[in-house]
Amino acid sequence: MPACLSLIGGDNNAFGDFFKAKRIELKLTLRKFADNYEEDPAYISRLERGLVAAPKAKEKLKFYAEALGLAEGSPDWDQFLSWLPYLTRLMESTKFKMKNYWKSCQCFCEP
């Protein structure tokens, strides 16, 4: 794994795994889900595989929660939206780690 990806730490794919499991419970293919909700299927694929970060905007998380059929106030809804504070902390932590990583990187030293 590239060093820059390992800086994020934790299970980056937990959100994507949860998202995919709920989509499959609805018996929707990735492409059908994307078409139904006017989303880019490539983005949804990357999201489910943990290659892109989960959305950090509460409105977008709610949009996906509703699209996945999660009932507001249900344990699944709460679990899904619980990613918001985690994602905010993760983004701040990652920014800090990346800043320090680039400071220490020997790749860009003067020739």
Side-chain angles (χ1 to χ4, degrees):
M1 173 186 301
C4 59
L5 293 180
S6 66
L7 289 171
I8 295 172
D11 183 5
N12 298 331
N13 205 27
F15 178 86
D17 288 342
F18 185 82
F19 190 106
K20 183 176 182 177
K22 293 301 171 186
R23 176 183 57 76
I24 290 171
E25 282 180 19
L26 295 174
K27 299 182 179 3
L28 289 173
T29 65
L30 189 147
R31 185 162 301 280
K32 184 66 175 166
F33 177 87
D35 288 345
N36 287 353
Y37 297 99
E38 299 179 0
E39 293 288 320
D40 176 18
Y43 171 75
I44 299 298
S45 174
R46 290 190 303 271
L47 183 67
E48 289 183 351
R49 291 181 290 140
L51 300 178
V52 296
K56 62 181 181 176
K58 188 173 186 175
E59 296 77 25
K60 193 63 170 179
L61 281 173
K62 281 186 174 184
F63 171 80
Y64 284 139
E66 291 169 1
L68 292 168
L70 307 182
E72 189 167 352
S74 70
D76 283 343
W77 175 276
D78 293 340
Q79 181 179 353
F80 199 76
L81 291 183
S82 74
W83 281 95
L84 187 58
Y86 169 75
L87 293 169
T88 302
R89 287 191 315 274
L90 179 63
M91 292 297 290
E92 291 306 314
S93 173
T94 302
K95 286 178 190 176
F96 176 78
K97 289 177 183 177
M98 290 300 291
K99 182 178 176 183
N100 288 331
Y101 172 78
W102 290 118
K103 281 182 183 177
S104 66
C105 185
Q106 300 300 313
C107 305
F108 300 104
C109 294
E110 294 179 11

